[in-house]
Amino acid sequence: VLRRRRRLAQPNPLTLSTDLLQVGSMVMARGGDLDEAESLSREALALQEPGTGVVTRNRVWALTSLSEVLLARGDLAGAEELLDQSLEERRRTYGDLHPLVAESLGELGSFYAQVGRLDEAEAATRQALKVTLETAGPQHTRYAGSLTWLAGVLSRKAKFEEADSLTTQALEIRAQAQGTGTAVYAETLAILAEIRTARGMYESADSLLGLALEALPDHVEGASVPRRIHSALADLYEKTGRHEESARHRALAAAGL
């Protein structure tokens, strides 16, 4: 993308696609070059005028990508404004009841949670859950994902009982829809175990984490799920005085094994 930009005296939508600009922005952000990431993301956004259908999808991608860069730079007001704009454009295009509207509500809730505005995070995530329920139904895996995300917000607010109930419901949906030998099922078990640990239900948490390790497939894409399980075990054993076991699982988590 950068080489192509240097060759072009006046980049335009016909010669430089916004998707390449977006990918370039993401690569630069991951590499720590936030100045270049913001420049690329703003260039992509400038090429996307408000519209409908595919135009809205592309513009929302540009808005949310730029908001992530601004959040990384500490420009919270700018990031929030872009996420609000993304939500409104999707509502204008698709109406209030649409999976993409639920997605934008979830992104806004995630932003609020990241910056510690937990009441607003809960409100936005509950709205996303409601839209997902009405558009996907109570047995869909998207609904299970919304349940676990809301449970995460509630856990941060020490609303552990409701968080436990929501995660248990999500676990049942995952088991029926995707089976019990998947990484996402194992991760949901780990999330429930984290809640049980916070509630002081240590035996239950230990049992759930044992099941999570058993549920992991032989080949898991990425290390985030094994890392989460071992981190949860390390925290549990630290609380229950099993310090050697805690250290062992902490090391496994760090190695992503």
Side-chain angles (χ1 to χ4, degrees):
V1 171
L2 294 175
R3 283 197 299 270
R4 187 184 293 188
R5 286 182 73 198
R6 294 188 193 104
R7 290 199 303 267
L8 295 169
Q10 293 181 327
N12 62 69
L14 298 178
T15 55
L16 189 59
S17 65
T18 57
D19 57 347
L20 283 177
L21 287 166
Q22 297 285 76
V23 171
S25 175
M26 290 177 359
V27 171
M28 290 296 148
R30 288 175 184 171
D33 190 347
L34 296 180
D35 287 338
E36 191 60 50
E38 182 176 346
S39 176
L40 287 166
S41 195
R42 287 192 182 282
E43 192 172 338
L45 182 59
L47 299 178
Q48 293 289 346
E49 295 297 327
T52 59
V54 173
V55 174
T56 294
R57 287 199 294 273
N58 291 341
R59 182 170 168 79
V60 165
W61 185 26
L63 287 166
T64 53
S65 295
L66 179 55
S67 75
E68 290 172 3
V69 175
L70 295 183
L71 178 59
R73 306 197 72 163
D75 183 358
L76 305 186
E80 182 177 1
E81 181 181 354
L82 292 170
L83 290 173
D84 284 335
Q85 190 176 343
S86 167
L87 174 59
E88 289 311 309
E89 292 206 13
R90 277 182 163 168
R91 278 176 164 159
R92 173 179 53 77
T93 301
Y94 305 112
D96 289 335
L97 292 179
H98 193 279
L100 292 176
V101 172
E103 181 180 275
S104 287
L105 283 164
E107 288 167 348
L108 191 58
S110 177
F111 166 80
Y112 288 142
Q114 281 183 268
V115 300
R117 292 160 60 179
L118 296 181
D119 288 343
E120 290 165 285
E122 180 181 345
T125 309
R126 285 191 187 278
Q127 287 183 58
L129 181 67
K130 181 180 178 181
V131 174
T132 302
L133 175 61
E134 295 194 35
T135 56
Q139 298 302 318
H140 200 283
T141 54
R142 281 206 309 270
Y143 185 60
S146 293
L147 287 167
T148 51
W149 175 244
L150 177 56
V153 175
L154 294 174
S155 291
R156 290 185 60 183
K157 298 182 71 175
K159 296 182 177 181
F160 297 119
E161 190 170 339
E162 184 180 2
D164 192 309
S165 175
L166 294 177
T167 308
T168 300
Q169 186 180 348
L171 189 66
E172 293 169 356
I173 296 170
R174 296 287 188 196
Q176 289 191 349
Q178 296 164 298
T180 59
T182 62
V184 70
Y185 182 78
E187 183 175 30
T188 308
L189 283 166
I191 292 169
L192 184 56
E194 290 166 358
I195 296 167
R196 296 277 169 89
T197 298
R199 298 182 70 185
M201 301 168 66
Y202 299 136
E203 289 187 11
S204 176
D206 200 358
S207 176
L208 288 167
L209 290 168
L211 292 173
L213 288 173
E214 292 176 8
L216 273 177
D218 292 335
H219 302 287
V220 181
E221 184 176 345
S224 62
V225 177
R227 183 176 289 119
R228 182 163 198 166
I229 295 170
H230 287 297
S231 292
L233 281 164
D235 291 342
L236 171 64
Y237 293 150
E238 185 67 30
K239 284 182 178 292
T240 54
R242 298 165 63 180
H243 301 299
E244 288 186 6
E245 280 293 289
S246 176
R248 184 173 74 85
H249 284 286
R250 196 77 69 194
L252 289 170
L257 299 176

